[in-house]
Amino acid sequence: MNTYICLLRGINVSGQKKLPMAELRKLLSELGLVDVKTYIQSGNAVFRTTIDDMSELGRKIEARILEVFKFQVPIWIIPLQTWENALNSLPSDYDTPDQKGSLYVVWLDQSPDPSLLEAISAPEDDPTSFAAKEHWLYLYVPNGYGKTPFNNNFFERKLKQRATTRNWKTMLKLHEMAQLVAQS
């Protein structure tokens, strides 16, 4: 069986798109996914399945959420090995304890076009920086994610694809959960 981490974007934010985690676990289990676990209310799940086609699995989950909850939500299905690659590929520039509190990972649908990446720059007075790796970005925002213009909508506009972001602490917690599920 394969172990995956599933990220849902934009649920349970400011009273919008309410999807209780108990109901998400039930929905995922009804789709035949096993050992389903969720983390916090912002749409993070881990599970195992025999399904290999992540795109098909994502479409099934999106369709089922639309059917049951009557709203669309973007979903990323990430294999445990890819998640580990993201954790282990952290550029040394960002690998200090004080930086990790301001570190985020932006998940994309695919590797970004290098010419689109080159066109992105922070204002001179903004200490935000980012580094691309495969189909994710490491985003360092020392002034806080809520204050940076480098949010999901920004990257979606600039890179012309969907994006969702998780902080480093959540990345580590989901990894820990996925490892436990993989050993089940």
Side-chain angles (χ1 to χ4, degrees):
M1 290 192 118
N2 301 310
T3 302
Y4 294 105
I5 297 166
C6 177
L7 305 177
L8 286 72
R9 176 168 171 214
I11 64 163
N12 300 329
V13 177
S14 303
Q16 302 292 322
K17 296 185 178 180
K18 291 186 178 182
L19 200 166
M21 293 301 98
E23 294 193 34
L24 177 60
R25 287 189 299 274
K26 179 182 175 197
L27 180 144
L28 295 173
S29 296
E30 288 172 351
L31 289 173
L33 309 176
V34 296
D35 297 321
V36 177
K37 309 278 186 253
T38 56
Y39 176 64
I40 63 176
Q41 295 299 312
S42 60
N44 305 292
V46 298
F47 53 78
R48 291 185 311 138
T49 181
T50 57
I51 299 170
D52 290 325
D53 187 335
M54 292 174 294
S55 296
E56 174 190 342
L57 181 57
R59 284 190 298 274
K60 283 182 179 181
I61 295 170
E62 286 177 10
R64 187 71 178 136
I65 289 172
L66 179 60
E67 179 184 337
V68 173
F69 295 97
K70 309 299 184 218
F71 56 76
Q72 289 188 301
V73 60
I75 293 176
W76 285 258
I77 307 291
I78 304 164
L80 177 55
Q81 183 61 54
T82 301
W83 197 269
E84 289 174 342
N85 289 346
L87 291 173
N88 295 328
S89 300
L90 181 62
S92 60
D93 295 354
Y94 301 125
D95 199 9
T96 64
D98 60 324
Q99 288 175 312
K100 287 184 180 174
S102 300
L103 185 62
Y104 295 78
V105 176
V106 180
W107 291 95
L108 305 168
D109 286 333
Q110 60 194 1
S111 295
D113 179 323
S115 65
L116 296 176
L117 275 174
E118 288 175 20
I120 300 173
S121 63
E124 285 186 27
D125 62 340
D126 187 338
T128 299
S129 65
F130 69 91
K133 180 74 174 180
E134 297 186 33
H135 60 281
W136 61 85
L137 308 172
Y138 300 100
L139 177 65
Y140 176 62
V141 286
N143 293 338
Y145 187 76
K147 296 178 182 176
T148 184
F150 289 80
N151 57 27
N152 290 325
N153 293 332
F154 173 87
F155 283 115
E156 287 181 340
R157 277 191 320 275
K158 296 292 186 177
L159 300 178
K160 301 181 183 349
Q161 59 176 301
R162 299 180 321 160
T164 192
T165 303
R166 297 300 185 272
N167 66 40
W168 195 251
K169 180 181 173 185
T170 298
M171 290 286 297
L172 294 174
K173 182 62 177 177
L174 288 171
H175 179 244
E176 176 185 318
M177 290 172 61
Q179 285 181 313
L180 292 172
V181 165
Q183 296 169 5
S184 300

